[in-house]
Amino acid sequence: MTYTVGYIVGSLSQKSINRTLALALSRLAPPELRLTEIPIGELPLYSHDHDLDYPVVAQEFKDAIKASDALLFVTPEYNRSIPGALKNAIDWATRPYGSNALNGKPAAIIGASPGPISTAVAQQHLKSILSFTNCPVLGQPEAYIRFTEGLIDDEGDIQVPSTAEFLTGYMRAFTAHIRRHHDIPDL
């Protein structure tokens, strides 16, 4: 069985190291995962005022989430938390009330940063937010990638063998997480 994984990059920068990491992960993913980006850059700031006249771009975003079998959040850490654009996207995904596109969608979180603790704090915040939305998140392994020059080449290949091995295992664990959640019958 093939699973469609929508990945959401928390950074809006086209040259984001997290976008580069997402490309590398798509190359390391097992053959049963098909990764496609769900962009968040065009979403306006969420306001309850939009609920009655839902913007097309927001509906397309929610439809892409619904069409995905699972989600992969690839995010930097801004000021010891998640980027505002990512929080905004999550708000759109769960509104209006009663139409939460994240509900029951298996997910994983990963992130890269040049700092020594990488994205550990942001990921903990994101896990808390996703828990509230009833989005089951892969618990182990956790993946905080310290991004260094030359870690990933221009084609998206990991250049450090131990990192490539770890990330390959991470993607296998994510695949197992997806399978578990899709094999659970509705009660």
Side-chain angles (χ1 to χ4, degrees), residues 33-165:
L33 296 188
R34 189 179 66 229
L35 278 71
T36 57
E37 184 172 4
I38 301 176
I40 63 173
E42 299 301 316
L43 292 169
L45 290 176
Y46 175 76
S47 168
H48 177 69
D49 296 341
H50 294 296
D51 287 356
L52 297 177
D53 187 20
Y54 214 73
V56 171
V57 67
Q59 189 58 56
E60 289 171 349
F61 173 70
K62 285 183 77 160
D63 291 345
I65 291 172
K66 290 176 186 175
S68 299
D69 296 308
L71 298 172
L72 177 62
F73 292 87
V74 187
T75 187
E77 181 169 302
Y78 292 175
N79 297 315
R80 295 286 189 254
S81 192
I82 65 172
L86 179 55
K87 177 61 169 78
N88 184 57
I90 292 168
D91 290 344
W92 278 111
T94 59
R95 299 292 187 261
Y97 181 79
S99 66
N100 176 6
L102 301 177
N103 185 39
K105 191 75 61 175
I109 302 169
I110 191 169
S113 168
I117 65 167
S118 186
T119 59
V121 179
Q123 288 190 43
Q124 290 305 312
H125 287 183
L126 185 52
K127 283 179 184 178
S128 178
I129 294 165
L130 293 176
S131 174
F132 179 78
T133 69
N134 199 36
C135 184
V137 176
L138 174 67
Q140 293 295 323
E142 295 179 313
Y144 313 114
I145 307 304
R146 185 170 188 191
F147 200 90
T148 56
E149 187 67 35
L151 178 66
I152 303 173
D153 69 17
D154 293 339
E155 286 77 42
D157 292 317
I158 304 287
Q159 298 302 297
V160 177
S162 61
T163 303
E165 182 181 342

